[in-house]
């Protein structure tokens, strides 16, 4: 891959509550802003890659959205991987552009679980519901417990993840939750499904976010202001439910990152800034281990030593992540990666050359990795 | 007038029926592949290892180990609100299959640890016999 395709435009709505607005409307606003950011007209978009609203499945959502946007794509549709889908769609759009299946792609996502329904997140899991097995946080708590038992990971280590994200979000005017978190606040936070507390869990947000992708060559001919090259991407799948997974403390992030690093010709040592999917605080810890930033079992210490904060070895979620900027699944991390590579983040990492981005979905079932350069 | 929320008891069908019927008789069973001898739960129609469509039922010894557990402090289903806090565990049977269950006889959570030896027993849950596990005494 190595930069043949670029992210040419980014756009987003406000994150938070959008009472009464449909996901079509939120997607349209994000798309309008991404097109303006790239400096291109809508009519040249011939690829439409959509993650459907997580909280409310609709058949043919991609086509209904194409109609609402007045776009007639050559290639388009939705892709279901839960929270991994946005980063995966960037990969598919890049492959489609390289293969001549489309010229300019719009990758977009919107959802409104805060003002609308969030039932999809609370559904029971088959006949296991007789045991009281409900809710997404419980799946992540099951993994967190195993990691804590296996490696001695402490609540203070989970807290370090939340504190770094909340610190970065506090200085981001776009963030939904702009309140720093102290260790005392964290420890006093009520348990939800222990070992996870309220402050281990991401926000619930309405909003939309979109990207414009094209070839680097096309970006030059269109005089795009600040194209950000996609250096590599990869995916991985864990087939097993949490109850069936042979190993609860490694994930598909491992194979996903290996694919992306190989495509880019990079290693973890080359990465200056990371945007790591933080639906729950345990998720970045496992991802950092699987990505090779620390050894298995060492991520808790890595986090609590301050490495994830601005000025640390690997500043993470510099706009606040899902724990602070918005609970929307993943696109905000890609947008912040673009801002870092453009040198435009409110929490800019000086001289950042390479950014790694993770998206993941289900209970660590799906994983997707992007590597961006500048 | 009963205003308590509906309790989510299992919906039996041709595939999972034998599992719940065996539990009602006090026995924990799992499926094993006739062809490749792989063992698994929950019930399926094909072996997920070799795709053979001839699984057979086998009785478990009841010995198991604790893989991980959580404690609910919030009821995601109102039917469970009156038993908070309650635990849910992943357990692995000695024969290999893993299942979601509950732990009994361990009111002090600090005594729990991964790989703890467990024994199967049954509990009546709103008219359905369900499998639960108790830390094995040494
Ligand atoms: Zn078989």
């Amino acid at each position: 891959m190595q930069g043949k395709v670029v992210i040419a435009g980014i756009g987003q709505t406000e994150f938070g509550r959008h009472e009464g607005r449909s996901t079509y409307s939120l997607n349209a606003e994000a798309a309008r802003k991404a097109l303006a950011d790239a400096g291109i007209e809508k009519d040249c978009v011939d690829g439409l890659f959509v993650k459907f609203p997580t909280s409310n499945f609709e058949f043919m959502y991609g086509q209904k959205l194409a109609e609402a946007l007045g776009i007639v794509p050559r290639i388009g549709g939705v892709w279901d991987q839960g929270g991994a889908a946005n980063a995966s769609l960037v990969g598919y759009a890049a492959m489609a552009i390289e293969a001549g299946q489309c010229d300019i792609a719009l990758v977009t996502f919107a959802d409104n679980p805060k003002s609308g329904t969030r039932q999809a997140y609370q559904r029971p899991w088959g006949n296991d519901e007789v045991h009281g097995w409900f809710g997404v946080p419980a799946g992540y708590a099951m993994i967190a417990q195993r990691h804590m038992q296996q490696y001695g990971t402490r609540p203070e280590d989970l807290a370090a993840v939340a504190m770094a994200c909340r610190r970065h979000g506090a200085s981001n005017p776009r963030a939904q939750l702009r309140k720093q978190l102290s260790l005392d606040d964290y420890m006093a936070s009520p348990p939800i499904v222990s070992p996870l507390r309220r402050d281990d869990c991401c926000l619930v947000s309405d909003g939309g976010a979109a990207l414009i992708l094209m070839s680097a060559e096309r970006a030059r001919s269109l005089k795009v202001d600040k194209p950000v090259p996609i250096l590599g991407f990869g995916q991985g799948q864990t087939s097993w439910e949490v109850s069936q997974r042979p190993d609860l403390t490694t994930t598909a992030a491992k194979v996903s990152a290996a694919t992306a690093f190989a495509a880019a010709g990079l290693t973890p040592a080359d990465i200056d800034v990371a945007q790591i999917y933080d639906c729950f605080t345990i998720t970045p810890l496992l991802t950092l281990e699987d990505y090779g930033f620390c050894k298995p079992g060492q991520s808790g210490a890595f986090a609590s030593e301050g490495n994830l904060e601005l000025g640390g070895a690997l500043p993470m979620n510099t706009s606040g992540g899902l724990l602070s900027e918005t609970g929307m699944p993943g696109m905000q991390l890609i947008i912040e990666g673009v801002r870092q590579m453009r040198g435009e983040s409110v929490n800019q990492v000086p001289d950042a050359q390479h950014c790694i981005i993770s998206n993941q979905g289900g209970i660590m079932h799906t994983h997707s990795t992007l590597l961006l350069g500048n | 007038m009963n205003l308590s929320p509906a309790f989510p008891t299992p919906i039996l069908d041709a595939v999972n029926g034998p599992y719940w019927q065996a539990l009602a008789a006090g026995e924990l069973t799992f499926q094993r592949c006739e062809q490749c001898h792989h063992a698994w739960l929950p019930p399926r129609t094909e072996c997920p290892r070799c795709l053979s469509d001839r699984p057979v039922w086998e009785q478990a010894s009841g010995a198991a180990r604790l893989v991980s557990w959580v404690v609910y402090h919030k009821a995601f289903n109102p039917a469970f609100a009156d038993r908070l806090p309650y635990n849910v565990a992943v357990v692995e049977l000695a024969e290999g299959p893993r299942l979601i269950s509950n732990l009994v006889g361990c009111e002090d959570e600090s005594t729990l640890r991964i790989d703890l030896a467990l024994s199967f027993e049954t509990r009546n849950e709103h008219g359905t016999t369900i499998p639960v596990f108790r830390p094995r005494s040494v």
Side-chain angles (χ1 to χ4, degrees), chain B residues 32-38 40 46-52:
Chain B
R32 191 182 287 284
C33 177
E34 265 194 337
Q35 186 167 291
C36 79
H37 310 295
H38 181 53
W40 70 85
E46 283 78 29
C47 169
R49 182 193 276 168
C50 76
L51 305 186
S52 157

Side-chain angles (χ1 to χ4, degrees), chain A residues 156-235:
Chain A
E156 290 82 352
D157 301 327
L158 297 176
V161 172
M163 288 161 66
C165 294
R166 293 277 291 272
R167 180 186 158 200
H168 301 157
S171 50
N172 173 10
R174 301 183 193 88
Q176 182 176 335
L177 179 58
R178 299 190 62 196
K179 185 167 175 280
Q180 290 209 32
L181 181 75
S182 71
L183 182 57
D184 287 345
D185 295 337
Y186 173 88
M187 297 305 279
S189 163
I192 304 294
V193 183
S194 67
L196 296 184
R197 296 168 162 84
R198 184 197 61 205
D199 286 332
D200 290 302
C201 306
C202 71
L203 306 174
V204 176
S205 316
D206 301 338
L211 310 169
I212 301 289
L213 269 67
M214 61 182 71
S215 70
E217 196 183 339
R218 196 83 165 86
R220 271 192 300 276
S221 71
L222 288 170
K223 298 189 168 52
V224 168
D225 200 18
K226 286 175 180 163
V228 168
I230 298 165
L231 302 181
F233 50 83
Q235 294 184 33

Side-chain angles (χ1 to χ4, degrees), chain A residues 66-100:
Chain A
E67 180 185 293
L69 298 178
I71 289 173
V72 187
R74 280 200 281 158
I75 184 168
V78 299
W79 186 246
D80 178 13
Q81 279 183 343
N86 284 314
S88 293
L89 286 170
V90 169
Y92 290 121
M95 287 191 278
I97 289 166
E98 273 219 88

